[in-house]
């Protein structure tokens, strides 16, 4: 096992972590969420500037909390794709500088590979192959995970991501940004069957569509006005999103003859999604594995873990490592 420093700055979290194999020694996350909340979404220029301010203190803290010095670090793994280029380049520049100065190997990691491998920190004996549902602010994908590094995408959203569906609906209900967690809290005592909302694509598919839901919520809010029961609306919206996520993922596992499902990404923190997926899976003898809440949202420990597998496979990036705004998984 090698001590790896992981760095993540693809969106609005600056994070550094120290991992030893699958063991997470530290995982420091500096969130910019309060700053972006003022604007109701991530402002790329502001994100890049905030990463510049946070990156060195975050790395220092990750080393200190892990009880390691820079001399103990054997390699650096950094998210270089996909993401906001200005944001990514802050982490990648820091990683390159550290590797250059200390003569360490550098490895560029695909952000989604980090999410896919994130459950390994809490569940090192996770079974492969398995089905992974990636649900975050920017992604909604069902992936067949053959082994670390071997992925095939079975389905994905054709418009909004699941996290976006939560955030946009939350905004329509007058909740702040990002609204996923607030919507979950508002839904707690609500009736999920009160308002009928669309489930997107009807034909048997592994793909998703959430844009119709957004339009339906807009209409509902307009039509009901002050008569809207916000708690029932939140519960109905949440149910519309998680029921479709659960149905597609369970069907993918069944049709692929796989008995393990993982849920990763920010929306994997949703308690109703976890509960529904688990109850549906239990009835079919399928196991559901989820990361800890801290490992659901963007973090560098998952990047360190993905880097561990890349380095073990003999992969090292050059100092010409680029930051890519778009990059398919597996490339
Ligand atoms: O993975 P993540 O931190 O960032 C991206 O890579 O996008 O995911 C953030 C997303 C946001 O849309 C946020 O509203 C959503 O995850 N989220 C939740 C919950 N916690 C975070 N959505 C539903 N329920 C939650 N408890
Ligand atoms: Zn993410």
């Amino acid at each position: 096992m090698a001590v790896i420093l992981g760095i993540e700055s693809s969106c609005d979290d600056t994070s550094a972590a120290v991992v030893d194999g699958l063991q997470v020694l530290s995982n420091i996350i500096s969130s910019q969420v309060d700053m972006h909340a003022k604007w109701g979404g991530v402002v790329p220029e502001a994100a890049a500037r905030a990463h510049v301010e946070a990156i060195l203190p975050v790395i220092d803290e990750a080393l200190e909390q892990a009880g390691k010095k820079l001399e103990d670090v054997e390699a650096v793994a950094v998210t270089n794709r996909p993401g906001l280029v200005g944001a990514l380049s802050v982490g990648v520049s820091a990683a390159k500088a550290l590797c250059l100065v200390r003569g360490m190997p550098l490895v560029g990691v695909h952000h989604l590979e980090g999410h896919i491998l994130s459950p390994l920190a809490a569940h090192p004996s996770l079974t492969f192959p398995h089905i992974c549902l990636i649900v975050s602010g920017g992604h909604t994908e069902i992936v067949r995970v053959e082994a670390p590094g071997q992925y095939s995408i079975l389905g994905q959203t054709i418009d909004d991501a699941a996290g976006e569906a939560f955030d946009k609906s939350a905004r329509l209900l007058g909740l702040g940004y990002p609204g996923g967690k607030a919507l979950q809290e508002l839904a707690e005592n609500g009736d999920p069957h009160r308002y009928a909302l669309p489930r997107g694509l009807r034909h048997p598919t592994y793909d998703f569509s959430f844009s119709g839901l957004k339009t339906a919520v807009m209409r509902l809010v307009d039509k009901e006005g002050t008569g809207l029961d916000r708690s029932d609306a939140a519960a109905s919206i949440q149910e519309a999103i998680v029921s479709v996520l659960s149905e597609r993922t369970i069907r993918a596992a069944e049709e692929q003859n796989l008995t393990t499902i993982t849920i990763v990404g920010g929306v994997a923190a949703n308690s109703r999604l976890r509960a529904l997926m688990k109850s549906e899976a239990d009835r079919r003898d399928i196991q559901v594995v989820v990361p800890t809440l801290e490992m659901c949202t963007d973090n560098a420990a998952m990047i360190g873990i993905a880097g561990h597998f890349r380095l073990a496979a003999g992969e090292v990036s050059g100092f010409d490592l680029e930051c890519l705004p778009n990059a398919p998984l597996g490339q």
Side-chain angles (χ1 to χ4, degrees):
M1 298 293 169
V3 174
I4 297 174
L5 175 68
I7 298 178
E8 156 68 40
S9 68
S10 65
C11 190
D12 59 348
D13 292 303
T14 320
S15 180
V18 179
V19 302
D20 187 352
L22 301 179
Q23 206 192 339
V24 178
L25 305 181
S26 64
N27 191 17
I28 306 299
I29 303 163
S30 165
S31 172
Q32 307 172 3
V33 73
D34 293 343
M35 177 180 79
H36 296 294
K38 285 184 296 202
W39 299 302
V42 177
V43 176
E45 291 78 8
R49 219 170 316 123
H51 284 306
V52 170
E53 279 172 28
I55 190 84
L56 294 180
V58 163
I59 292 173
D60 281 344
E61 205 179 325
L63 289 168
E64 194 186 317
Q65 213 179 84
K68 299 285 180 193
K69 297 207 161 36
L70 198 50
E71 299 83 72
D72 302 321
V73 175
E74 292 161 81
V76 180
V78 62
T79 308
N80 75 313
R81 65 194 192 284
L84 303 169
V85 170
L88 285 167
S89 69
V90 177
V92 169
S93 304
K96 284 180 181 172
L98 289 172
C99 289
L100 202 59
V101 168
R102 300 222 44 91
M104 287 185 284
L106 168 75
V107 65
V109 169
H110 194 290
H111 181 77
L112 291 188
E113 178 166 46
H115 276 302
I116 290 171
L117 300 176
S118 63
L120 281 165
H123 308 275
S125 54
L126 174 68
T127 312
F128 293 88
H130 62 254
I131 292 290
C132 175
L133 172 67
I134 308 175
V135 268
S136 71
H139 293 274
T140 306
E141 268 118 24
I142 296 180
V143 182
R144 180 184 166 104
V145 183
E146 209 57 49
Q150 285 180 48
Y151 314 109
S152 37
I153 296 177
L154 303 179
Q156 56 198 311
T157 180
I158 60 165
D159 41 54
D160 290 348
E164 260 179 298
F166 268 104
D167 294 342
K168 288 178 178 174
S169 303
R171 183 192 291 210
L172 291 167
L173 292 182
L175 302 167
Y177 170 86
K181 187 159 181 263
L183 192 140
Q184 174 189 309
E185 285 162 4
L186 185 60
E188 224 142 79
N189 299 312
D191 172 7
H193 306 294
R194 169 80 181 269
Y195 300 110
L197 292 167
R199 261 53 174 172
L201 312 175
R202 267 164 205 239
H203 51 91
T205 174
Y206 297 135
D207 287 340
F208 302 94
S209 169
F210 292 110
S211 62
L213 174 68
K214 181 185 60 189
T215 313
V217 173
M218 221 181 289
R219 277 206 208 104
L220 177 71
V221 170
D222 266 357
K223 188 174 136 240
E224 299 286 325
T226 49
L228 183 77
D229 186 315
R230 290 169 73 251
S231 178
D232 287 351
S236 303
I237 293 163
Q238 176 170 263
E239 205 61 21
I241 301 171
V242 306
S243 61
V244 78
L245 292 173
S246 169
E247 182 274 325
R248 304 266 198 282
T249 311
I250 299 271
R251 186 157 45 78
E254 282 187 307
E255 289 173 6
Q256 296 275 318
N257 285 318
L258 297 178
T259 52
T260 302
I261 287 173
T262 61
I263 321 173
V264 305
V267 181
N270 185 271
S271 54
R272 177 62 189 145
L273 174 61
R274 289 177 174 219
L276 179 64
M277 193 81 97
K278 193 162 179 335
S279 69
E280 291 295 321
D282 275 354
R283 295 201 279 129
R284 297 164 171 91
D285 280 335
I286 294 173
Q287 184 197 16
V288 178
V289 178
V290 288
T292 58
L293 289 182
E294 182 194 52
M295 293 282 285
C296 285
T297 43
D298 289 348
N299 69 89
M302 68 185 194
I303 303 304
I305 289 173
H308 156 77
F309 286 103
R310 293 273 153 199
L311 289 160
E315 197 179 301
V316 177
S317 305
F319 285 110
D320 56 354
L321 180 69
E322 282 185 290
C323 300
L324 306 172
N326 303 302
L329 186 65
Q331 277 178 30

